[in-house]
Amino acid sequence: MARYRSIVSVAALLSAAGAASADTTDVTWQNRVVIEKQGEFCSDDPNCFNRYHPEVESVATAAPGDFIVFETRDALDSDLTLESNADDVGALDLSGVHPMTGPVSIEGAERGDVLAVTVVDIAPDEFGYTVIVPGFGFLRDEFTEPYFVGWRQTRTHAVSDQMPGIAVPYEAFTGSIGTMPGEEEVAAWLERESELAAVGGIALPPEPNGAHPTEICGPDGSHASDCLRTVPPRENGGNMDVQQMQVGTTILIPCFVDGCNLFIGDIHYAQGDGEVSGTAIETGGVVTVTTEIRKGAGAYITSPQVEGGSQIKDIEPSSFHQTIGYPLKSEGEVPVYHTYLDSDPIEGLSNLSEDLTLAARNALSQMIDHLVRERGLTREQAYILASVAVDLRVGQVVDVPNYVITAVLNEDVFVEDTDANGSE
């Protein structure tokens, strides 16, 4: 009886208080800095840019430890939908690819420091896509026609009408994350890329058309001739496309300007190591990170590094099929990646020495053949699946002349009873 009276007394007290109706939602402690997405495209958005230059100003300031929320756009800044098709891919304007959200200045950070960025959460949009763009991708000489796959996404997996019987697990990461380069970095990187282009290598020179911010990087911009494209990754990070940068990892990025000027974009719902078709499952989303400044660490951390825990194990498949690639080719063939070297001996050889690129191509080609033969996919479907669920890995780099690259297929993606809406 005494216990009953005690409970009644507590209940009466709470009832009398009246105002005691809050739940845990009302209790907050995070200091959040939100960088909102505005407008339909990057060109409409003051919080978006798609070229690198130190004159691109920060759009917000955050302190170390703040929760910074980036609302991001898909890599192609596209208007693709679930109803899109290959013709829509062929019509895309690629001058504005890789729109970035930001940059955000970090209080107390200086040139020469390293910014430690911990990925707290990635909330993907409901729609994503994987495409083949003519002239782009690891097997661009073989896959020359546009192709489109649209994905329905949840926090567990993505499915597609164009890829029946396949459900790709949610393993999102920031395809692009980095800091703004300084003036000397812009000059040095432009010089080395120009030298590469001059001998026939692939390099993307400054392109004012489609550039943002227009007043700096556009056709009449103040730095139209030296704004860097956001497609290649460099020492400042950017478009690294490293799938291990999952939620929970910490990405270490050198600072080249005071404030570091952190940016994020190009979210990948899932990707295989290699991103071989040229795209992962591309999507927009909301990324939350925190930062820490490591003073002076830029003296020895000169390119991005990653710290993590069990994330690598967590994204490993429970079932796999693996192909093995060696640096072998047909006599008389010059692989597309070697044409700029202008090396006469390459054409006549059928075996190259210590060549990981050719080994990777052969491992991937075998995997595509396997998927066509054993899983009934078209070659285009197999190439797409390889881009989002096959990992290219280094086997060994000592057994001369034949270094080994393996292609590892995550067989967990085959769920024959999963319908186009993700239901089993």
Side-chain angles (χ1 to χ4, degrees):
M1 178 65 83
R3 179 176 180 274
Y4 173 76
R5 283 197 300 269
S6 176
I7 293 174
V8 170
S9 298
V10 171
L13 180 63
L14 291 175
S15 177
S21 59
D23 63 13
T24 55
T25 306
D26 300 305
V27 181
T28 60
W29 58 271
Q30 298 177 4
N31 186 45
R32 296 166 69 85
V33 178
V34 180
I35 315 303
E36 296 181 343
K37 182 171 62 176
Q38 303 178 35
E40 189 173 0
F41 298 104
C42 186
S43 57
D44 310 315
D45 191 346
N47 293 333
C48 181
F49 67 96
N50 59 20
R51 301 291 191 275
Y52 300 141
H53 196 278
E55 292 296 318
V56 177
E57 296 182 356
S58 61
V59 298
T61 299
D66 286 349
F67 287 74
I68 313 173
V69 181
F70 292 82
E71 297 182 359
T72 70
R73 301 176 181 276
D74 67 274
L76 302 182
D77 199 20
S78 72
D79 55 1
L80 297 172
T81 70
L82 286 167
E83 287 69 46
S84 296
N85 55 41
D87 291 338
D88 298 316
V89 175
L92 289 171
D93 178 6
L94 301 181
S95 65
V97 299
H98 291 101
M100 299 294 116
T101 299
V104 176
S105 178
I106 307 302
E107 293 178 359
E110 299 174 296
R111 178 180 172 88
D113 294 339
V114 163
L115 193 65
V117 185
T118 298
V119 183
V120 176
D121 184 58
I122 301 176
D125 291 345
E126 294 181 20
F127 164 69
Y129 58 83
T130 309
V131 297
I132 299 173
V133 175
F136 190 60
F138 194 49
L139 300 183
R140 56 187 177 274
D141 55 324
E142 293 187 22
F143 293 86
T144 59
E145 297 298 322
Y147 195 79
F148 171 82
V149 171
W151 301 93
R152 295 179 174 87
Q153 302 175 165
T154 69
R155 282 285 189 123
T156 60
H157 57 262
V159 295
S160 171
D161 293 342
Q162 293 85 22
M163 304 287 282
I166 290 172
V168 179
Y170 165 74
E171 295 174 352
F173 66 97
T174 55
S176 294
I177 181 171
T179 59
M180 194 64 68
E183 290 185 5
E184 68 180 75
E185 285 74 35
V186 168
W189 301 346
L190 278 174
E191 181 179 7
R192 74 187 184 194
E193 291 171 17
S194 297
E195 290 172 350
L196 176 60
V199 298
I202 297 177
L204 298 177
E207 174 52 73
N209 292 321
H212 301 287
T214 55
E215 66 273 15
I216 298 172
C217 302
D220 299 318
S222 57
H223 294 275
S225 62
D226 59 355
C227 284
L228 295 168
R229 296 296 301 273
T230 54
V231 177
R234 302 180 182 89
E235 290 88 334
N236 67 319
N239 188 34
M240 295 178 284
D241 293 334
V242 175
Q243 68 153 320
Q244 288 76 23
M245 294 179 180
Q246 301 276 326
V247 169
T249 61
T250 297
I251 305 160
L252 310 180
I253 313 171
C255 294
F256 300 104
V257 298
D258 290 347
C260 294
N261 281 4
L262 174 68
F263 58 82
I264 291 177
D266 181 29
I267 303 309
H268 291 181
Y269 180 94
Q271 179 203 293
D273 281 336
E275 196 188 12
V276 293
S277 82
T279 55
I281 297 184
E282 307 289 341
T283 190
V286 180
V287 181
T288 303
V289 302
T290 60
T291 64
E292 171 197 352
I293 301 168
R294 300 193 181 178
K295 299 299 293 184
Y300 51 89
I301 297 178
T302 57
S303 284
Q305 300 179 13
V306 183
E307 298 173 345
S310 64
Q311 291 82 13
I312 290 180
K313 291 190 293 184
D314 293 342
I315 62 177
E316 286 294 285
S318 64
S319 177
F320 70 91
H321 183 91
Q322 186 174 39
T323 56
I324 310 295
Y326 305 121
L328 307 178
K329 68 178 188 66
S330 301
E331 186 177 340
E333 173 194 1
V334 179
V336 64
Y337 323 108
H338 297 77
T339 53
Y340 81 97
L341 295 176
D342 195 25
S343 174
D344 292 334
I346 288 178
E347 185 172 357
L349 296 172
S350 58
N351 200 149
L352 300 188
S353 179
E354 306 173 273
D355 195 305
L356 289 172
T357 303
L358 185 56
R361 181 184 180 95
N362 288 333
L364 176 60
S365 294
Q366 292 178 64
M367 179 57 70
I368 290 172
D369 290 344
H370 167 79
L371 289 168
V372 171
R373 182 180 64 251
E374 301 296 332
R375 293 290 182 173
L377 302 184
T378 66
R379 285 184 58 77
E380 290 77 14
Q381 287 175 319
Y383 191 35
I384 290 288
L385 184 60
S387 200
V388 303
V390 170
D391 292 333
L392 295 179
R393 300 182 177 180
V394 177
Q396 53 82 14
V397 290
V398 293
D399 296 335
V400 294
N402 291 340
Y403 288 178
V404 164
I405 293 287
T406 68
V408 183
L409 168 66
N410 181 357
E411 291 196 318
D412 298 340
V413 301
F414 297 108
V415 188
E416 300 295 343
D417 294 331
T418 299
D419 66 24
N421 293 313
S423 301
E424 295 187 8

